[in-house]
């Protein structure tokens, strides 16, 4: 609750301050608890004096009781005879506020033979109970209820629109294409629980909350206005899946409300229904925005942005010829509401199928409103499970004809759910249940495509390849089937030729998590060939072409294969490096720490420090972007071994980019001596400065195995290291930061860079380190260090490509 712990008078002051600051809330009218009035200058012009008479209760109160108490207070004093009644009565507590039009309730004040001379606050009198009985239905149907926390913006908008001198009637909140999602989120909280439905079981049958919301939203007088919606509101019941039977009668299932429709009525009292008709098609077409995330991932309920639909339809003629729409057939077998087909002109050559009947109904409704499709070419079909003999005969004729099939384009934006996630790999999560195994073809295709069968989009690709051989596949998808390490067997099965395509940022698609390239690629399944690499045009968020990028499928072994050669767990470590998959997407998991993690960690020691610094710097010196997100780090050539400048640049970068913490053990990573930073005491370890100066001393307990050299080609350092100018600048910037920290009164003499950042930046209430510090000197010093590190990273970057750690 917003004002749970405050007293009644303070609550009234807070509500007045937060919501009615433009009005006079100091006026006392009769015995009414809280009044919102116009200011004195306005009273001289208008007869009306007040906007609201309300009852206020601290804590959490029964809104019905509060309104009844207000009615008894007004009726007892006959306040309406002495003052012009406010157009709204109301009640509020620490959690919520309710309004009810005075005209809807005023008749109660003229009851015959009613004893108004009772104490309004006594809820046990027969008079209180009688008024409660008379007005309960009115409150149920007419009250406008707002939650202070959840409906803050709507409440302020309602007050602004209705607390106007001389205004007649209520102006409700309008719903349009900009706010229909936020209204839906509130509907889920306030209305959904009042609908009689086992939602988990309903979801298994593709019945979801969004369809009930759309039935409510596009309605007038509680009657749905769009005939083709899967769910329809008919006064106080919802009708589902209405269809004509063979007797010409309607068959349907229905459900109703568990509270006599009270929550539903009070919710929609706040909003103007229906929205303007010009928004109806857009809102229904964007049903995907209301579909739960797990359902979207499994069923492909993702709306392809119109700019990329149009762009894809420019690439199709480049690959297939200018007359492709007349010479080829098109089937979108994951059509959703059919927006991918918008802009195509030959409706006789287009078919659209989707998993959910609701989406079929939407497409049929769009056809009735001018969409360029045929009713009989739009149908419900589960592409991964249903028998192809159930397809429309016209489409079967094409698929079953070897020559006609070559002219069929499967044009799709398929579902992308996968069974595993980062948490599965790290051991902290579980596989997503039934993501792919619930499909009949999963076991059959797993033998052909291996681990790629964990991905729904890969199952779609394999199903097209297997069931519609020699056709054309034009699809939106991730590009992991080209680059991903789990797709080796898939590429042995999926022999095709690439005809062209482009990539765009994933954040241009609604509700897609992550920042990676989504590609539109066109493939001939008739011309067999291995997918070695493909070149795609690159477009930014504004649909500007910004270049080209090659995605490689014939990559050498990964950088992780290389680094394993340098691990020697027999030598005591000075730090641990968390193992992470070898691409930019997983670089955020790659860190150097002092403490063992749940994930596997490599041990860093005096013998492999340089090599692990190369590994760490190579992976972190180039910023991760949406375009390189899936790029793989590779097994390098041998050129790096003789490049001492490259090695020491990588060491300098790593020394000032790690997450070592002294609280987890001895800090071996201090890159300065006590004298350089004016330390108050001796450090627990001078390992790093001695290593840099050619005098490596491993941890004391490891002296007995000093003669163990795991990698003869890259031994531990035995002479002073030479650093580039860029690296020296980093050391200089870091030294000034360390010196400033050691001037602090309670400094930790063994502090790491992470410890220093934590000292000055602090942590928030969730325990996460803050991004900024209030210490201006520290802010300048850390900014300078970061700037020098950026320059050093730019010096390292060209050699990342030179030594083949990455493909250009």
């Amino acid at each position: 609750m917003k004002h749970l712990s405050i007293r009644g008078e303070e609550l009234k002051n807070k509500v007045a301050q937060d919501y009615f600051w433009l009005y006079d809330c100091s006026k006392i009218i009769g015995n009414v608890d809280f009044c919102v009035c116009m200011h004195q200058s306005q009273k001289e012009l208008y007869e009306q004096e007040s906007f609201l008479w309300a009852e206020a209760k601290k804590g959490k109160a029964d809104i019905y009781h509060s309104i009844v108490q207000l009615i008894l207070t007004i009726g007892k004093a006959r306040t309406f005879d002495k003052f012009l009644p406010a157009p709204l009565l109301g009640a509020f507590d620490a959690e919520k506020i309710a309004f009810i039009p005075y005209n809807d309730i005023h008749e109660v004040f003229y009851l015959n033979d009613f004893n108004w001379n009772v104490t309004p606050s006594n809820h046990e009198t027969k008079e209180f109970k009688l008024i409660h009985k008379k007005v309960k239905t009115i409150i149920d149907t007419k009250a406008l209820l707002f939650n202070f926390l959840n409906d803050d913006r709507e409440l302020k908008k309602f007050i602004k629109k209705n607390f106007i001198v001389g205004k007649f009637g209520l102006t409700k909140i309008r719903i349009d294409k900009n706010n229909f999602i936020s209204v839906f989120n509130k509907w889920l909280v306030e209305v959904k629980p009042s609908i009689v439905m086992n939602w988990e079981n309903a979801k298994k049958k593709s019945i979801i909350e969004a369809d009930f919301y759309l039935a409510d939203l596009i309605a007038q007088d509680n009657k749905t206005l769009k005939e083709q919606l899967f769910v329809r509101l008919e006064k106080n019941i919802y009708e589902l899946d209405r269809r004509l039977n063979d007797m010409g009668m309607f068959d349907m299932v229905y459900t109703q409300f568990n509270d006599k429709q009270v929550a539903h009525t009070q919710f929609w009292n706040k909003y103007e229904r229906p929205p303007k008709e010009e928004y109806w098609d857009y809102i229904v077409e964007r049903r995907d925005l209301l579909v739960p995330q797990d359902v979207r991932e499994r069923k492909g309920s993702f709306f392809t942005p119109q700019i990329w639909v149009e762009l894809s339809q420019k690439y199709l003629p480049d690959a297939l010829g200018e007359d492709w729409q007349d010479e080829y057939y098109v089937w979108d077998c994951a059509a959703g509401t059919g927006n991918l087909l918008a802009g195509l002109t030959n409706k006789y050559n287009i078919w659209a199928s989707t998993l959910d009947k609701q989406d079929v109904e939407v497409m049929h409704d769009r056809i009735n409103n001018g969409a360029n499709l045929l009713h009989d070419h739009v149908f419900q079909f589960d592409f991964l499970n249903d028998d192809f003999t159930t397809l429309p005969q016209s489409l079967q004729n094409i698929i079953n004809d070897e020559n006609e099939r070559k002219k069929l384009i499967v044009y799709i934006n398929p579902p992308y759910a996968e069974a595993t996630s980062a948490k599965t790999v790290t051991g902290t999560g579980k596989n997503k249940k039934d993501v792919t195994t619930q499909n009949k073809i999963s076991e059959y295709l797993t033998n052909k495509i291996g681990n790629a069968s964990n991905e729904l989009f890969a199952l779609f690709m394999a199903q097209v390849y297997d069931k519609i051989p020699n056709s054309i596949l034009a699809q939106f998808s991730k590009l992991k089937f080209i680059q991903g390490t789990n797709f080796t067997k898939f590429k042995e099965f999926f022999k095709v030729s690439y005809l062209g395509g482009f990539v765009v940022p994933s954040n241009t698609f609604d509700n897609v998590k992550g920042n990676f390239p989504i590609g539109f690629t066109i493939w001939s399944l008739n011309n067999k060939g291995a997918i070695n690499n493909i070149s795609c045009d690159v477009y930014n968020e504004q649909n500007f072409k910004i270049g080209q990028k090659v995605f490689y499928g014939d990559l050498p072994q990964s950088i992780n294969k290389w680094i394993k050669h340098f691990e020697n767990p027999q030598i005591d470590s000075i730090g641990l490096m968390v193992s992470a998959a070898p691409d930019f997407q997983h670089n955020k998991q790659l860190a150097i720490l002092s403490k063992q993690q749940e994930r596997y960690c490599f041990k860093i020691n005096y013998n492999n420090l340089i090599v692990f610094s190369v590994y760490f710097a190579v992976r972190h010196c180039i910023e991760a972007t949406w375009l390189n997100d899936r790029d793989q780090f590779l097994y390098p050539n041998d050129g790096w071994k003789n490049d001492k400048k490259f090695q020491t640049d990588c060491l300098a970068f790593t020394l000032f980019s790690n997450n070592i913490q002294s609280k987890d053990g001895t800090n071996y990573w201090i890159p300065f001596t006590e004298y350089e930073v004016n330390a108050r005491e001796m450090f627990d370890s001078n390992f790093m400065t001695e290593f840099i100066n050619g005098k490596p001393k491993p941890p004391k307990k490891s002296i007995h195995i000093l003669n163990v050299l795991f990698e003869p080609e890259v031994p531990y350092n035995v002479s002073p290291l030479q650093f580039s100018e860029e690296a020296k600048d980093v050391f200089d910037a870091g030294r000034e930061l360390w010196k400033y920290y050691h001037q602090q009164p309670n400094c930790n003499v063994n502090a790491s860079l992470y410890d220093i950042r934590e000292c000055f930046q602090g942590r928030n209430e969730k325990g996460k380190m803050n991004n900024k510090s209030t210490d201006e000197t520290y802010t300048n010093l850390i900014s300078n260090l970061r700037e020098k590190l950026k320059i050093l990273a730019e010096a390292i970057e060209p050699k990342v490509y030179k030594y083949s750690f990455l493909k250009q």
Side-chain angles (χ1 to χ4, degrees):
M1 289 186 225
K2 189 171 183 179
H3 307 298
L4 178 60
S5 59
I6 63 177
R7 293 183 292 184
E9 288 302 314
E10 188 178 356
L11 173 64
K12 289 189 277 186
N13 291 337
K14 281 294 293 178
V15 170
Q17 176 184 330
D18 290 350
Y19 297 103
F20 301 105
W21 69 92
L22 293 175
Y23 310 95
D24 181 4
C25 298
S26 63
K27 181 76 173 177
I28 297 175
I29 296 180
N31 294 321
V32 175
D33 208 10
F34 180 83
C35 301
V36 177
C37 303
M38 65 184 71
H39 287 287
Q40 187 63 43
S41 58
Q42 296 173 305
K43 294 175 191 175
E44 296 172 358
L45 300 175
Y46 297 93
E47 182 182 6
Q48 181 182 339
E49 183 173 1
S50 51
F51 298 106
L52 172 69
W53 294 348
E55 183 73 24
K57 296 290 183 184
K58 67 178 181 178
K60 186 176 180 180
D62 185 316
I63 215 76
Y64 291 85
H65 288 177
S66 298
I67 291 176
V68 171
Q69 183 173 330
L70 175 66
I71 291 170
L72 288 170
T73 300
I74 295 170
K76 182 177 182 178
R78 298 196 65 80
T79 311
F80 50 83
D81 286 339
K82 303 169 186 174
F83 301 89
L84 187 66
L88 290 171
L89 301 183
F92 60 88
D93 58 19
E95 178 185 49
K96 58 190 175 295
I97 186 169
F99 303 98
I100 188 164
Y102 179 86
N103 287 340
D104 288 329
I105 215 163
H106 75 281
E107 289 184 4
V108 76
F109 294 119
Y110 302 100
L111 288 173
N112 293 322
D113 300 323
F114 183 79
N115 176 24
W116 290 99
N117 194 27
V118 294
T119 304
S121 59
N122 185 350
H123 297 181
E124 300 302 321
T125 65
K126 66 177 183 180
E127 287 81 6
F128 186 96
K129 293 176 181 178
L130 177 62
I131 295 295
H132 185 282
K133 183 177 180 181
K134 284 189 172 295
V135 301
K136 184 180 184 303
T137 301
I138 299 173
I139 298 172
D140 285 345
T141 57
K142 300 296 184 179
L144 293 88
L145 186 64
F146 296 87
N147 183 287
F148 288 130
L149 283 178
N150 299 333
D151 302 322
D152 181 74
R153 292 179 61 186
E154 286 88 345
L155 174 56
K156 289 174 179 174
K157 186 180 291 187
F158 174 81
I159 293 169
K160 181 179 179 181
K161 293 284 187 181
N162 290 284
F163 284 53
I164 300 172
V165 176
K167 185 178 185 303
F168 178 78
L170 289 178
T171 298
K172 298 183 179 182
I173 299 165
R174 290 188 177 275
I175 300 175
D176 55 32
K177 62 183 181 179
N178 296 314
N179 68 353
F180 78 97
I181 300 171
S182 62
V183 175
F184 172 64
N185 291 331
K186 296 176 187 298
W187 181 95
L188 289 174
V189 175
E190 299 180 39
V191 178
K192 175 187 169 182
S194 70
I195 300 172
V196 178
M197 181 71 68
N198 183 319
W199 293 104
E200 284 303 312
N201 288 341
K203 187 189 292 187
K204 295 174 184 176
K205 297 181 179 180
S206 299
I207 297 171
I208 58 174
E209 299 91 334
D211 296 310
F212 289 80
Y213 171 69
L214 292 176
D216 278 357
L217 178 59
I218 305 177
Q220 191 168 39
D221 298 326
N222 279 344
K223 185 176 177 64
T224 301
L225 299 177
K226 278 185 86 70
E227 287 291 331
Q228 295 293 337
L229 291 182
F230 180 74
V231 177
R232 295 176 51 79
L233 177 65
E234 293 291 338
K235 296 301 181 182
N236 60 348
I237 64 170
Y238 290 105
E239 296 177 352
L240 289 77
D241 195 17
R242 185 172 66 167
R243 64 182 73 187
L244 283 171
N245 60 27
D246 55 6
M247 296 180 292
M249 302 173 66
F250 280 114
D251 285 336
M252 71 189 76
V253 294
Y254 72 91
T255 189
Q256 52 194 2
F257 299 93
N258 57 28
D259 67 343
K260 298 182 180 179
Q261 209 172 356
V262 172
H264 180 273
T265 301
Q266 292 184 348
F267 179 83
W268 288 112
N269 278 347
K270 294 179 288 190
Y271 299 100
E272 188 72 42
R273 287 192 297 166
K276 289 183 178 179
E277 191 167 355
E278 64 195 72
Y279 300 133
W280 292 7
D281 287 343
Y282 174 84
I283 290 171
V284 172
E285 191 175 334
R286 293 315 313 269
R287 172 181 176 270
D288 65 297
L289 295 174
L290 310 176
V291 176
Q293 181 73 16
D294 61 328
V295 175
R296 282 198 300 269
E297 291 179 359
R298 292 167 189 257
K299 296 185 177 180
S301 301
F302 282 95
F303 186 90
T304 311
Q306 195 59 34
I307 57 170
W308 307 138
V309 172
E310 293 173 3
L311 187 61
S312 72
Q313 292 173 13
K314 293 177 182 177
Y315 274 70
L316 284 165
D318 291 342
L320 304 174
E322 288 296 327
D323 297 325
W324 72 277
Q325 293 199 57
D326 295 323
E327 296 175 359
Y328 288 84
Y329 310 102
V330 176
W331 179 20
D332 184 352
C333 58
T337 57
N339 80 294
L340 188 58
L341 303 173
L344 300 186
T345 56
N346 189 350
K347 62 184 178 181
Y348 297 99
N349 282 7
I350 302 170
W351 287 262
S353 63
T354 183
L355 193 60
D356 287 338
K357 188 176 189 302
Q358 296 93 313
D359 288 335
V360 174
E361 300 286 0
V362 170
M363 282 191 279
H364 283 163
D365 183 65
R366 290 180 59 217
I367 292 170
N368 293 339
N369 287 283
N372 194 35
L373 298 169
L374 295 177
H375 271 278
D376 291 344
H377 284 200
V378 175
F379 54 97
Q380 185 177 4
F381 185 74
D382 184 342
F383 187 72
L384 298 183
N385 291 303
D386 288 350
D387 196 312
F388 274 42
T389 60
T390 65
L391 291 171
Q393 190 60 50
S394 56
L395 184 56
Q396 284 191 58
N397 292 341
I398 295 168
I399 293 173
N400 295 332
D401 185 303
E402 182 178 352
N403 291 320
E404 291 297 294
R405 188 168 61 235
K406 292 177 183 178
K407 297 187 289 184
L408 176 60
I409 304 167
V410 179
Y411 181 36
I412 54 173
N413 180 3
Y416 74 88
E418 56 186 294
T420 59
S421 66
K423 289 185 176 181
T424 312
V425 176
T426 60
T428 58
K430 297 180 180 179
N431 284 332
K432 297 175 186 176
K433 184 179 179 182
D434 296 335
V435 164
T436 57
T437 56
Q438 65 182 357
N439 298 299
K440 285 197 310 185
I441 64 162
S442 178
E443 184 176 351
Y444 166 71
L445 287 177
T446 297
N447 296 327
K448 297 177 180 289
I449 64 176
N451 290 337
S453 62
N454 286 330
E455 306 264 2
L456 274 179
F457 86 90
L459 289 179
F460 268 77
M461 293 177 71
Q463 178 82 322
V464 172
Y465 189 82
D466 190 64
K467 293 291 182 66
I468 319 176
N470 305 324
S471 60
I472 303 290
L473 175 62
Q475 68 167 10
F476 286 90
S477 71
K478 299 177 183 179
L479 294 171
K480 59 168 66 178
F481 70 94
I482 298 171
Q483 299 174 293
T485 55
N486 283 334
F487 282 79
T488 302
K489 192 169 183 179
F490 175 88
K491 286 186 286 187
E492 293 173 357
F493 167 76
F494 193 75
K495 298 292 187 179
V496 294
S497 63
Y498 176 63
L499 301 180
F502 60 86
V503 292
V504 297
S506 61
N507 63 15
T508 58
F509 287 71
D510 291 318
N511 295 311
V512 174
K513 295 180 180 178
N515 198 23
F516 53 88
I518 290 180
F520 175 72
T521 50
I522 308 170
W523 305 89
S524 169
L525 278 54
N526 186 39
N527 300 318
K528 310 299 183 185
I531 305 176
N532 293 322
N533 54 69
I534 67 170
S535 178
C536 293
D537 294 332
V538 180
Y539 291 83
N540 64 14
E541 292 90 339
Q542 289 76 40
N543 195 14
F544 291 123
K545 184 177 177 181
I546 58 175
Q548 287 190 317
K549 181 172 175 63
V550 177
F551 294 88
Y552 296 93
D554 55 345
L555 293 172
Q557 290 184 316
S558 80
I559 194 173
N560 285 356
K561 296 280 187 182
W562 169 74
I563 197 62
K564 284 182 179 178
H565 293 313
F566 301 96
E567 186 182 24
N568 186 354
Q570 269 63 49
I571 302 180
D572 289 323
S573 66
I574 61 169
L576 300 165
M577 187 172 70
V578 182
S579 175
D583 56 26
F584 279 95
Q585 177 190 9
H586 291 90
N587 273 358
K588 56 190 174 186
Q589 298 173 0
L590 178 66
I592 293 176
L593 308 166
S594 309
K595 187 178 180 180
Q596 181 64 45
Q597 306 296 301
E598 289 187 14
R599 292 179 65 90
Y600 179 79
C601 292
F602 294 104
K603 289 185 176 181
I604 304 173
N605 55 58
Y606 59 91
N607 236 15
N608 60 22
L609 174 59
I610 291 290
V611 185
F612 274 90
S613 294
V614 168
Y615 177 94
F616 182 86
V618 159
R619 292 196 56 174
H620 279 296
C621 70
I622 300 172
E623 182 183 1
T625 67
W626 71 268
L627 189 56
N628 67 19
D629 183 72
R630 299 299 195 265
D631 287 3
Q632 303 284 312
F633 291 94
L634 306 171
Y635 201 114
N637 61 45
D638 289 340
W640 69 274
K641 293 181 180 179
N642 299 315
D643 191 336
K644 299 301 181 184
K645 177 181 180 296
F646 172 68
Q647 293 176 22
T648 54
D649 278 352
C650 289
L651 175 63
F653 182 91
T654 303
L655 290 177
F656 295 92
S657 305
N658 62 73
N659 287 338
I660 294 291
Q661 296 182 64
S662 60
K663 70 177 183 179
D664 294 328
T666 303
N667 180 8
Y668 300 106
W669 295 75
I670 303 175
F672 307 109
T673 65
E674 294 89 344
Y675 299 99
E676 288 181 277
V677 297
N678 300 323
R680 301 179 184 192
E681 298 287 346
M682 297 292 291
F683 299 151
D684 288 346
S685 171
N686 295 106
F687 169 81
M688 196 57 66
T689 51
E690 291 174 346
F691 182 89
I692 290 170
N693 290 315
K695 306 172 187 176
K697 290 183 181 179
K700 293 179 181 179
K701 57 184 177 181
S702 298
I703 291 177
H704 66 284
I705 57 167
L706 183 58
N707 61 332
V708 177
L709 297 179
F710 176 65
E711 175 58 40
E713 292 184 292
V714 190
Y716 65 88
N717 184 42
V718 292
S719 60
L721 298 178
Q722 302 298 315
F723 289 98
S724 66
E725 292 302 316
E726 294 90 346
K728 288 178 182 177
D729 288 343
V730 170
F731 275 95
D732 290 343
R735 188 180 298 107
E736 293 305 310
L737 177 62
W738 252 265
K739 286 167 69 174
Y740 180 66
Y741 171 76
H742 281 276
Q743 295 173 15
Q744 307 308 307
N746 297 313
C747 68
N748 169 12
V749 75
N750 293 299
S752 64
L753 177 60
Y754 187 95
D755 298 332
I756 294 172
R757 290 173 52 226
E758 184 178 36
C759 170
F760 288 109
Q761 293 172 212
R763 294 185 178 275
N764 61 24
E765 57 188 17
K766 295 182 179 179
K768 185 178 179 181
M769 189 184 298
N770 297 316
N771 293 325
K772 297 180 180 180
S773 171
T774 57
D775 188 308
E776 187 175 344
T777 302
Y778 164 78
T779 299
N780 292 334
L781 291 171
I782 195 70
S783 296
N784 185 47
L785 174 59
R786 288 168 179 162
E787 183 60 33
K788 301 304 181 188
L789 271 171
K790 185 177 179 181
I791 295 170
L792 177 61
E794 291 170 354
I796 296 171
E797 180 177 348
K799 295 182 179 180
V800 173
Y801 298 101
K802 179 179 179 181
Y803 300 136
S804 301
F805 287 102
L806 278 176
K807 288 255 191 184
Q808 190 75 43

